[in-house]
Amino acid sequence: MGTPAIGTLGKLAIDVSTVTSITDFDGASTQLEFLSEELRYTESQAYNNGIRGTRSRVAERCRIAQGVVSGSIVLHPTPVELDVLFPLILGSAEVADSFTLAETIPEFGVLVERITRRFVYTGCRVSRATFSGTQGQPITLRLDIEGETEVITNTSWPGTIPAIDSGSPYIFSDTTFSLSADASAAEVRSFEITIDNGLITDRFMNSVTRTTIPSADRIVSLNMTVPYTADEVDLHKQALAGAGGSLTLTNGNTSTVFTFGNLKTDPAVSPVIGSRGSEILLGLQMRAYKTGSTMELAVTHDSTT
């Protein structure tokens, strides 16, 4: 009888170099504390379903058709961890605490300790990153990842990977925001920032696994739920021209500022009365656009405590 593999003992690390095996994870890699992961390799078969005088299917006619690496990692990131993750999400390296959008998304490797075996995922890219916050909870980051191959190994977890960062994650009360469409608005019940990198995920060419995963589009969005009072009334049915905005997370000396070039509400949805005793809230679904030379999103991030 085997020993149960319990998630408590799991580990996860990423490495921004070109990873091919577990030996590529070392002191330059980053170990992350995570809430859950669903990164997996899914293999499909092709069967030649020809006519051969019987209803039976013949085993020798099966071939492996495609293998897809896809899934997500969910975590409460610390400011130090975000220094590593922002270049993978936005595409550019840090320049004096600033991260900008790039036209290409870098690849990285992921190592997951699943107790019974270690799993290495190569050629990974961030398909979508979602930062979310709601009252009374830590800020959550969900990374949706697309990759190329999976390597399963019995080799032990490398002893040279640095320890998990001991810093504090952001919590929802660290949030402030500014929307030019209504400067008096200051309170928020929840928010969600999504950076969708528009990856092309069906490029296998003459290969069982993906040969590359290019990016073809990018959609940045900001969704918020705010009170519906005189301070927020101008946020409903905003002018088509749109307006700038920012959302800031601050914990002591550490801070992260998401600055949006031009935000447009799409769709604009009216507030409603949900019940006799409930507060009337306004839901905002906004997309960010580039305006002039100002990109749709820029991040200023100071991880120094």
Side-chain angles (χ1 to χ4, degrees):
M1 182 179 295
T3 302
I6 306 300
T8 309
L9 301 179
K11 300 177 185 178
L12 187 147
I14 62 173
D15 192 280
V16 297
S17 65
T18 301
V19 168
T20 59
S21 72
I22 194 170
T23 59
D24 294 314
F25 290 83
D26 53 25
S29 307
T30 301
Q31 187 178 176
L32 298 172
E33 179 180 313
F34 63 103
L35 301 176
S36 65
E37 59 85 15
E38 295 181 346
L39 194 58
R40 56 168 60 94
Y41 175 79
T42 303
E43 194 173 73
S44 62
Q45 299 175 353
Y47 176 72
N48 177 26
N49 195 22
I51 300 168
R52 55 187 299 123
T54 177
R55 292 191 298 119
S56 298
R57 298 194 172 204
V58 180
E60 291 75 17
R61 290 286 180 160
C62 282
R63 295 289 305 277
I64 301 300
Q66 287 184 342
V68 175
V69 172
S70 185
S72 63
I73 302 170
V74 180
L75 65 159
H76 296 317
T78 68
V80 169
E81 291 168 340
L82 288 174
D83 268 337
V84 178
L85 296 174
F86 273 131
L88 303 180
I89 295 168
L90 304 177
S92 66
E94 176 184 357
V95 178
D97 291 341
S98 294
F99 297 86
T100 57
L101 296 172
E103 293 301 327
T104 58
I105 300 300
E107 73 172 56
F108 58 98
V110 180
L111 168 60
V112 185
E113 166 65 82
R114 293 185 177 130
I115 319 305
T116 307
R117 292 288 188 275
R118 268 55 61 196
F119 291 71
V120 175
Y121 297 97
T122 71
C124 295
R125 289 174 174 82
V126 175
S127 171
R128 183 185 298 104
T130 304
F131 294 85
S132 60
T134 189
Q135 52 189 9
Q137 298 297 321
I139 301 304
T140 298
L141 170 60
R142 177 188 172 101
L143 296 172
D144 292 313
I145 295 170
E146 301 293 338
E148 294 177 9
T149 66
E150 175 188 72
V151 180
I152 304 174
T153 177
N154 197 34
T155 303
S156 299
W157 177 270
T160 54
I161 297 177
I164 295 170
D165 178 58
S166 59
S168 301
Y170 291 117
I171 60 174
F172 188 68
S173 59
D174 296 331
T175 306
T176 58
F177 70 95
S178 174
L179 298 177
S180 299
D182 195 336
S184 62
E187 292 187 326
V188 58
R189 174 166 287 196
S190 65
F191 75 82
E192 184 177 272
I193 299 170
T194 302
I195 301 102
D196 188 332
N197 284 316
L199 299 185
I200 297 175
T201 60
D202 62 350
R203 195 175 189 278
F204 292 84
M205 298 303 179
N206 51 319
S207 172
V208 170
T209 58
R210 292 163 172 157
T211 53
T212 187
I213 309 174
S215 49
D217 198 1
R218 180 172 53 229
I219 299 175
V220 177
S221 61
L222 170 63
N223 295 338
M224 304 177 71
T225 300
V226 299
Y228 186 59
T229 74
D231 287 342
E232 295 85 19
V233 68
D234 290 335
L235 292 176
H236 178 50
K237 296 188 71 172
Q238 298 173 30
L240 179 60
S246 64
L247 188 145
T248 303
L249 301 169
T250 305
N251 179 22
N253 293 326
T254 62
S255 62
T256 305
V257 184
F258 299 87
T259 302
F260 304 92
N262 182 275
L263 290 168
K264 302 180 188 293
T265 54
D266 182 22
V269 180
S270 301
V272 297
I273 302 173
S275 66
R276 176 173 175 165
S278 63
E279 180 179 1
I280 300 175
L281 300 172
L282 176 64
L284 299 172
Q285 300 177 56
M286 299 174 284
R287 286 194 177 184
Y289 294 85
K290 181 180 179 181
T291 175
S293 60
T294 303
M295 297 297 286
E296 58 266 43
L297 173 66
V299 175
T300 303
H301 177 63
D302 186 352
S303 63
T304 304
T305 57

